[in-house]
Amino acid sequence: MWYHRLSHLQSRLQDLLKGGVIYPALPQPNFKSLLPLAVHWHHTVSKSLTCAWQQHEDHFELKYADTVMRFDYVWLRDHCRSASCYNSKTHQRSLDTASVDLCIKPKNIRLDETTLFFTWPDGHVTKYDLNWLVKNSYEGQKQKVIQPRILWNAEIYQQAQVPYVDCQSFLETNEGLKKFLQNFLLYGIAFVENVPPTQEHTEKLAERISLIRETIYGRMWYFTSDFSRGDTAYTKLALDRHTDTTYFQEPCGIQVFHCLKHEGTGGRTLLVDGFYAAEQVLQKAPEEFELLSKVPLKHEYIEDVGECHNHMIGVGPVLNIYPWNKELYLIRYNNYDRAVINTVPYDVVHRWYTAHRTLTIELRRPENEFWVKLKPGRVLFIDNWRVLHGRECFTGYRQLCGCYLTRDDVLNTARLLGLQA
Ligand SMILES: C[N+](C)(C)CCCC[C@H](N)C(=O)O
Ligand SMILES: O=C(O)CCC(=O)C(=O)O
Ligand SMILES: [Fe+2]
């Protein structure tokens, strides 16, 4: 059953990925059943754009600005922006949606050059600006990517010569902050230079763009290979590429690393763009991409060391995509912390392992690995929903400090600076 549904979804996915204008697979209106409702196009010519509309039994159809849009009547009533339905100061809905008749239809429709007027059965009038409708319709919306990104492998990232932002300009100017955030949003990693190598300065940097997300590891964390916690991060061992806190229901959005000291060898940081690798899987084996985005997995953190007693569980697929445009927004990849798989039957398990292998092969291609040696003064911000990190084994004394940030608040800062996020 599930198998069939998956292959159906897969062909749908391929359709969606072809790009261009995609219409939902709605049944074609049956014109006979629409009688006595007169179905014909009503035309209006505005200054430059032609507009036409048609009232159907179960939806309203509008052609404007080269877009054919279909609107549900309840949706139209629900999105009334009149003063009694919507508070434009707070941008909040006042209308009680549950009070709308689910079979509602307009009593009268009128159109002028810029605006559509609906009169509802109770006499209430809703005005829709045509451009607002284009911007907010499903058809106008779903082709837009939420987050523009540049997917990278080592060569692409190095050739882009992304400039590091200076600490002072980051802290004291909006241009510096904006430049930093723009790079961070595009590549999923960004560096700040000339930071005094202390935990306090690292914290100041973090607070400039977001709220620090306090977790079981604390607010700001500071660690050496002292085995103080029950996790291999607190050793000198190499760590393969992974994302952190996969065992949270919402994995931490951003990770900040500042190496305050290292007297020894090795310990380079590995960065891999998980979205680049996922894109390769999508190109080469779309059904495997689909499976990785559908099969829910558990990740788990069990700790019982000293005073630290924790048991965390997070559930979700490896690849998390927006259902309406298939845009990837979160990768959960940590083979160390992946828990027992008991959420899928054996045949799907096998196909999942195959898909996971394909993704792993992409993630491990040497050309996708970007290695950096973190050093005092250079702070690295990693999008933990996109870019995997790892580390080479090391010798000697190494101190790393940093923190996690809440993703919403980083995006909030970016939007306030005028960036698309
Ligand atoms: C040391 N630091 C606090 C950064 C994180 C340690 C978390 C390590 C864990 N295995 C994970 O991947 O989530
Ligand atoms: O030691 C490092 O460079 C990073 C270790 C790690 O993966 C982590 O702390 O999340
Ligand atoms: Fe980590």
Side-chain angles (χ1 to χ4, degrees):
M1 285 286 271
W2 210 70
Y3 180 86
H4 293 289
R5 188 149 64 218
L6 273 177
S7 41
H8 162 72
L9 281 168
Q10 183 209 328
S11 69
R12 179 100 179 90
L13 173 72
Q14 278 166 340
D15 284 351
L16 284 167
L17 293 166
K18 275 186 208 128
V21 183
I22 302 125
Y23 299 106
L26 288 177
Q28 287 305 304
N30 176 345
F31 283 86
K32 256 187 247 141
S33 75
L34 295 176
L35 297 169
L37 241 187
V39 177
H40 56 265
W41 287 99
H42 302 250
H43 292 270
T44 295
V45 182
S46 70
K47 275 164 227 109
S48 52
L49 300 164
T50 315
C51 181
W53 60 267
Q54 229 184 125
Q55 190 178 355
H56 296 273
E57 186 63 28
D58 65 343
H59 70 282
F60 178 75
E61 190 174 354
L62 180 69
K63 285 190 201 166
Y64 183 69
D66 295 326
T67 314
V68 179
M69 296 161 272
R70 293 187 178 111
F71 297 100
D72 171 57
Y73 293 119
V74 179
W75 185 95
L76 285 163
R77 182 65 191 89
D78 187 42
H79 289 77
C80 179
R81 262 42 182 158
S82 70
S84 61
C85 296
Y86 188 75
N87 182 335
S88 55
K89 272 217 183 70
T90 65
H91 304 277
Q92 288 178 294
R93 178 181 287 100
S94 322
L95 173 74
D96 175 19
T97 304
S99 72
V100 177
D101 176 2
L102 291 174
C103 301
I104 195 166
K105 271 187 207 73
K107 204 165 69 176
N108 184 51
I109 298 174
R110 188 167 67 78
L111 178 69
D112 72 15
E113 276 164 33
T114 58
T115 315
L116 190 63
F117 300 82
F118 267 47
T119 308
W120 299 103
D122 64 357
H124 186 80
V125 176
T126 303
K127 290 189 229 171
Y128 308 95
D129 178 74
L130 292 174
N131 290 317
W132 186 91
L133 285 175
V134 172
K135 218 171 105 208
N136 292 286
S137 66
Y138 173 73
E139 290 82 357
Q141 185 72 207
K142 71 192 167 81
Q143 300 153 46
K144 256 199 285 163
V145 287
I146 301 291
Q147 183 61 69
R149 308 175 195 272
I150 297 174
L151 305 185
W152 52 267
N153 57 20
E155 197 188 342
I156 295 169
Y157 185 74
Q158 269 148 352
Q159 291 207 337
Q161 301 257 310
V162 186
Y164 292 0
V165 174
D166 181 76
C167 179
Q168 197 180 346
S169 126
F170 177 93
L171 287 177
E172 292 167 17
T173 72
N174 277 354
E175 297 72 56
L177 183 63
K178 187 169 176 179
K179 198 168 78 179
F180 171 88
L181 282 168
Q182 178 70 78
N183 292 333
F184 180 78
L185 293 171
L186 285 176
Y187 296 98
I189 50 173
F191 294 87
V192 181
E193 285 249 273
N194 303 318
V195 184
T198 70
Q199 184 172 306
E200 290 67 39
H201 284 89
T202 313
E203 182 172 5
K204 256 219 288 205
L205 245 56
E207 287 174 335
R208 172 94 167 122
I209 57 165
S210 187
L211 298 176
I212 293 173
R213 178 161 172 194
E214 188 163 350
T215 65
I216 49 172
Y217 303 107
R219 192 179 128 82
M220 291 298 295
W221 30 257
Y222 170 89
F223 71 99
T224 60
S225 48
D226 62 0
F227 300 89
S228 63
R229 301 291 297 265
D231 190 276
T232 36
Y234 298 77
T235 66
K236 292 180 199 288
L237 298 172
L239 291 174
D240 190 28
R241 64 223 71 200
H242 63 276
T243 59
D244 268 23
T245 63
T246 46
Y247 41 78
F248 288 175
Q249 288 290 24
E250 189 199 303
C252 290
I254 283 91
Q255 180 159 48
V256 183
F257 278 137
H258 191 178
C259 183
L260 301 179
K261 201 177 257 180
H262 186 198
E263 292 146 0
T265 59
R268 285 180 309 158
T269 295
L270 166 63
L271 297 165
V272 179
D273 185 357
F275 286 11
Y276 180 88
E279 178 65 24
Q280 305 304 309
V281 176
L282 179 62
Q283 301 300 331
K284 296 175 186 173
E287 68 295 341
E288 295 184 354
F289 181 98
E290 171 92 20
L291 199 63
L292 290 170
S293 74
K294 287 282 178 306
V295 174
L297 289 178
K298 275 187 212 150
H299 288 79
E300 193 168 32
Y301 183 81
I302 305 173
E303 182 181 31
D304 202 3
V305 172
E307 302 286 282
C308 301
H309 309 286
N310 294 296
H311 189 172
M312 294 295 196
I313 296 179
V315 188
V318 173
L319 303 178
N320 294 257
I321 58 180
Y322 293 131
W324 65 90
N325 68 354
K326 304 286 170 187
E327 183 179 341
L328 180 60
Y329 69 89
L330 159 70
I331 179 167
R332 242 195 190 91
Y333 186 98
N334 192 322
N335 207 50
Y336 301 111
D337 296 333
R338 190 160 45 71
V340 170
I341 301 180
N342 55 9
T343 44
V344 266
Y346 77 94
D347 53 334
V348 181
V349 162
H350 193 79
R351 289 192 295 128
W352 184 85
Y353 276 114
T354 307
H356 184 259
R357 184 67 50 87
T358 305
L359 176 62
T360 300
I361 288 170
E362 294 304 327
L363 288 168
R364 289 191 183 170
R365 285 190 197 285
E367 61 268 30
N368 294 347
E369 297 182 340
F370 173 51
W371 288 92
V372 269
K373 175 74 183 152
L374 298 181
K375 51 169 207 179
R378 180 178 294 172
V379 177
L380 167 62
F381 289 71
I382 306 171
D383 181 346
N384 188 54
W385 283 20
R386 167 178 171 186
V387 175
L388 287 71
H389 63 278
R391 117 187 134 199
E392 183 183 36
C393 66
F394 63 92
T395 65
Y397 186 68
R398 181 173 179 263
Q399 272 182 0
L400 206 66
C401 87
C403 58
Y404 295 115
L405 306 178
T406 60
R407 189 182 184 78
D408 283 338
D409 298 284
V410 174
L411 300 181
N412 181 26
T413 306
R415 288 181 200 118
L416 293 175
L417 289 167
L419 297 168
Q420 183 180 337

